Amino acid sequence: MRTMLYVTTFLGLIGLAFWAYRENYDTQAALDHVEDLHRDIADARARLAILKAEWAYLNRPDRLRDLAEINFPRLELLPMRADQYGRVDQVAYPVIHPLVVTDPVDVTSAGATQ
């Protein structure tokens, strides 16, 4: 009986060692995957910063003004003026009507019959 206990304990120990070995490699693989994701995110952020810089460079007001003048016969773009905007007093705000309850309904438990 004692031999059976030793054999069972030894097999259990081997099983736990195998499980720990596999968990270690699974954990290392997951950490490598996370590291790759962090690297990809950093690369994407660097690309985004470059794209934002290019966008800011291409949208310079002097450059856009020159392009509008060069392409005026085809696009007919004019510079914006202050009189093209509306004033605050010209904005039509919606009229807020107060809520009038004409036929109230009792929804409390005090009015319920049992």
Side-chain angles (χ1 to χ4, degrees):
M1 187 67 181
R2 185 176 283 184
T3 306
M4 187 66 167
L5 179 65
Y6 289 149
V7 169
T8 305
T9 304
F10 182 71
L11 290 176
L13 182 64
I14 289 175
L16 285 174
F18 180 72
W19 172 79
Y21 178 79
R22 293 216 29 193
E23 285 297 314
N24 181 32
Y25 276 96
D26 290 344
T27 303
Q28 294 298 323
L31 289 174
D32 289 341
H33 182 66
V34 168
E35 198 172 291
D36 291 341
L37 289 175
H38 282 297
R39 193 176 308 109
D40 291 344
I41 290 170
D43 292 344
R45 285 185 177 159
R47 285 191 313 269
L48 181 61
I50 291 170
L51 289 174
K52 284 182 179 180
E54 288 177 356
W55 182 257
Y57 178 76
L58 291 174
N59 282 320
R60 293 183 329 266
D62 55 340
R63 178 183 173 275
L64 294 177
R65 189 178 318 108
D66 292 342
L67 285 175
E69 289 174 4
I70 291 170
N71 294 307
F72 181 76
R74 189 170 45 135
L75 299 176
E76 298 181 5
L77 296 174
L78 296 174
M80 296 189 74
R81 297 181 317 270
D83 62 343
Q84 292 174 327
Y85 295 101
R87 294 186 318 268
V88 174
D89 59 351
Q90 294 174 329
V91 176
Y93 291 104
V95 179
I96 299 175
H97 300 287
L99 180 63
V100 179
V101 179
T102 57
D103 189 20
V105 177
D106 184 21
V107 293
T108 61
S109 61
T113 59
Q114 293 185 13

